[in-house]
């Protein structure tokens, strides 16, 4: 429905096979948007032939474009894409003050060939100027690759449009056997890996620092510094 300076959407539905998208809300000329949406995907193959599984998403978008507040909840199950499989995915995005948003993701049963990760958990915060992401944990079968007491894998990403961005990746006493099945061409891997990598910069100027050693031996250490 069209009005002066405003577009009203009243239960607009898009059907693609067994998948349905429902929209309702308003768009105004001053870029103010208020939109509710619901996606019910009973068979994702109808959207993309190489993709299968089920998905559900619902939420709302409110505020002034291009930086409105977004609240959404996404769940998916039995996802298959080429040689990757995922049993369950949960993603939640919630608005905070000043257009900040919290992001929480849980992926369960991620499989590629014979390799399997039981759980991957991430959390982060996103704003128009800055995005940050923390990898909380990864578990393979019942073996936790990272815990609060003994962090074996820690990833921190901060992206700031106005200032310098930062990427930090630390792997401490990380068992290479945990990833051997993901790269079978590498053969048998029994060592432990320590990797400390920091990348800092902006769109045109980046500084990369890294240190890599295997089993803590000085004979197996590599340090690198680079500017891009």
């Amino acid at each position: 429905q069209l009005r002066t300076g405003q577009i009203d959407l009243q239960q607009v539905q898009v059907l693609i096979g067994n998948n349905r998208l429902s929209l309702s809300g308003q768009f105004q000329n001053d870029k103010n948007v208020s939109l509710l949406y619901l996606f019910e995907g009973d068979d994702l193959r109808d959207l993309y032939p190489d993709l299968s599984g089920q998905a559900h998403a619902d939420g709302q978008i409110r505020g002034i474009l291009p930086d409105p507040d977004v609240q959404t909840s996404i769940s998916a199950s039995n996802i298959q894409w080429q040689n990757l499989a995922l049993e369950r995915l949960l993603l939640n995005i919630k608005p905070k003050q000043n257009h900040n948003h919290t992001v929480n993701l849980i992926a369960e049963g991620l499989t590629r060939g014979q390799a399997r990760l039981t759980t991957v958990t991430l959390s982060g915060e996103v704003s128009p100027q800055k995005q940050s992401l923390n990898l909380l944990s990864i578990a393979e079968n019942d073996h936790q690759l990272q815990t609060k007491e003994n962090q074996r894998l820690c990833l921190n990403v901060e992206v700031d449009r106005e200032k310098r961005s930062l990427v930090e990746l630390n792997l401490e006493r990380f068992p290479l056997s945990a990833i051997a099945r993901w790269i079978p061409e590498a053969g048998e891997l029994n060592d432990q890996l320590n990797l400390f990598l920091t990348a800092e910069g902006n769109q045109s100027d980046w500084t990369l620092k890294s240190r890599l050693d295997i089993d803590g031996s000085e004979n197996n250490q590599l340090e690198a510094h680079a500017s891009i």
Side-chain angles (χ1 to χ4, degrees):
Q1 183 177 356
L2 294 177
R3 299 182 183 180
T4 303
Q6 180 174 302
I7 300 176
D8 290 335
L9 300 178
Q10 298 178 352
Q11 293 299 324
V12 175
Q13 293 195 3
V14 179
L15 298 176
I16 303 177
N18 292 314
N19 306 287
R20 181 181 68 176
L21 175 64
S22 301
L23 301 171
S24 62
Q26 297 177 342
F27 292 89
Q28 299 180 2
N29 280 350
D30 59 1
K31 298 184 179 181
N32 195 348
V33 59
S34 177
L35 180 67
L36 300 176
Y37 57 90
L38 170 66
F39 175 75
E40 296 172 297
D42 293 333
D43 190 350
L44 298 180
R45 284 176 297 186
D46 293 333
L47 300 177
Y48 189 72
D50 292 336
L51 179 66
S52 64
Q54 299 81 42
H56 176 95
D58 63 84
Q60 59 184 357
I61 301 174
R62 297 183 186 277
I64 306 296
L65 296 175
D67 298 314
D69 289 334
V70 178
Q71 180 172 336
T72 190
S73 176
I74 300 173
S75 62
S77 59
N78 303 318
I79 300 298
Q80 294 272 351
W81 182 69
Q82 296 183 359
N83 62 343
L84 292 176
L86 181 63
E87 293 179 2
R88 190 169 75 110
L89 173 71
L90 296 174
L91 173 64
N92 286 289
I93 301 175
K94 295 182 179 180
K96 296 175 63 178
Q97 294 181 344
N98 301 321
H99 304 296
N100 291 344
H101 294 78
T102 59
V103 180
N104 292 284
L105 180 144
I106 299 176
E108 297 179 349
L110 177 62
T111 305
R112 180 179 182 268
Q114 297 299 314
R116 173 183 169 84
L117 293 178
T118 308
T119 308
V120 178
T121 306
L122 300 99
S123 72
E125 186 169 315
V126 178
S127 71
Q129 289 76 33
K130 182 177 181 180
Q131 296 80 42
S132 65
L133 173 68
N134 292 287
L135 179 60
L136 299 182
S137 65
I138 292 181
E140 183 183 35
N141 297 325
D142 293 326
H143 175 60
Q144 193 80 9
L145 300 186
Q146 184 233 355
T147 65
K148 292 182 179 179
E149 293 78 17
N150 182 20
Q151 289 191 347
R152 293 187 174 182
L153 190 153
C154 182
L155 172 67
N156 179 58
V157 180
E158 295 184 359
V159 180
D160 194 321
R161 297 180 188 176
E162 299 178 352
K163 301 179 181 178
R164 295 179 69 81
S165 300
L166 174 68
V167 178
E168 294 178 316
L169 174 63
N170 296 327
L171 287 82
E172 299 182 39
R173 298 179 301 280
F174 186 83
L176 293 179
S177 59
I179 61 173
R181 287 181 294 175
W182 295 82
I183 45 175
E185 61 273 11
E188 186 175 358
L189 300 173
N190 296 317
D191 297 320
Q192 290 185 338
L193 173 69
N194 296 297
L195 172 65
F196 307 93
L197 185 147
T198 301
E200 185 175 6
N202 52 36
Q203 294 182 352
S204 60
D205 180 22
W206 281 87
T207 300
L208 175 66
K209 299 179 181 179
S210 65
R211 180 170 66 84
L212 168 70
D213 69 69
I214 299 176
D215 279 347
S217 171
E218 293 184 359
N219 296 326
N220 294 323
Q221 283 192 0
L222 175 65
E223 292 195 18
H225 301 268
S227 297
I228 303 174

